Amino acid sequence: MTAAARVLVWTVAVAVLGVLVALAVPVASGTYLVAQVVSFRAVLGLGSAVLAVALLAVPATRRRLLPLAVALIVGAAAQGAVLAARSTPQHADAAGSGDQVVVLSFNTLSTVDPAVLADLALEHHADVVVLPETSGYTARMTAKRMAAAGQPMQRLTAAGHSSFVAGTALLVSERVGTYPASVSLPTRLGSLRADPGDPAGSPVIVAAHPIAPISRGAMPTWRTETALVADLCGSTPGVIVAGDLNSTLDHPGLQDLGPCIDAARASGAAALGTWPASAPRFLAAPIDHVLVDGRAWRVVGFQVLERTGGSDHRPILATLERR
């Protein structure tokens, strides 16, 4: 290998290492392309490791490309370290009051039958059901089926401002409280805030669906809407926030939640993804969340459930306990 070739290999290796390590602590995660790549941290780490092994497996290139292979291995380890940290439970507090609330959130993509939704909610004894991209009709029929099974649910909805995406529905058990009305939040895909009739005994519930960072032009709206949801969580005592937030814990809106905690992170399940549902959980992007005021709630458990119906998201389930 010539001196110029060695310089080129080392330059590429340093650049690759810098990018992969930088993505492990993403300071630019609110920018286009970085936001999309960092959503799939497991894919990034696994892909880097596989490429490194491929480089080392070929005798003819092993010595020449050793610096690049090492850079890929170190970068993959950096991604793995973040995923390992997010698989470690946090907030392991002493047992609380025993008064539990089960929250189910599921972006149905308007493809899941009400009977399937009702059965899912009933099977997991859900007290709060948040349904982004779900029509008012589907929400109404789901609530009707749950009531027929002995679990009446109040139903609140928020219409989106897109002709291609259904709004967001919220079903709440009477056991949690009475919610006479809701206020729509300014997100294009439909979000709502439900305030209880008795603020002293019941939580504010936010059913959220910010826009996704699907293009360069959508980035400012995505950042604004995600920050709106995160700010609501941080500024509302006792709140429960759930939905398809179209962000991971690496993105700007969810990096600093103040007094709020992410239920998956608290349970050590934040490395498991929810989208796309066709991918294994350990490779998917964790963009569906339950956020709670950590001063009012402790997280007892969190699950990413099996793929359900034709949705491209997996449902998530959080079990909360009042302090």
Side-chain angles (χ1 to χ4, degrees), residues 298-311:
R298 63 184 293 268
V299 179
V300 176
F302 182 90
Q303 296 174 262
V304 178
L305 302 178
E306 296 294 333
R307 185 175 187 179
T308 302
S311 176

Side-chain angles (χ1 to χ4, degrees), residues 8-86:
L8 177 60
V9 169
W10 275 101
T11 301
V12 171
V14 170
V16 168
L17 179 60
V19 168
L20 290 174
V21 171
L23 285 172
V25 188
V27 295
S29 58
T31 60
Y32 188 58
L33 296 183
V34 177
Q36 287 75 21
V37 170
V38 80
S39 298
F40 296 94
R41 190 178 288 285
V43 174
L44 186 64
L46 184 61
S48 299
V50 169
L51 183 55
V53 170
L55 292 177
L56 294 173
V58 182
T61 61
R62 186 180 300 158
R63 277 187 70 182
R64 298 176 186 177
L65 299 182
L66 181 61
L68 180 56
V70 171
L72 288 167
I73 290 171
V74 174
Q79 307 306 319
V82 175
L83 294 172
R86 291 182 181 169

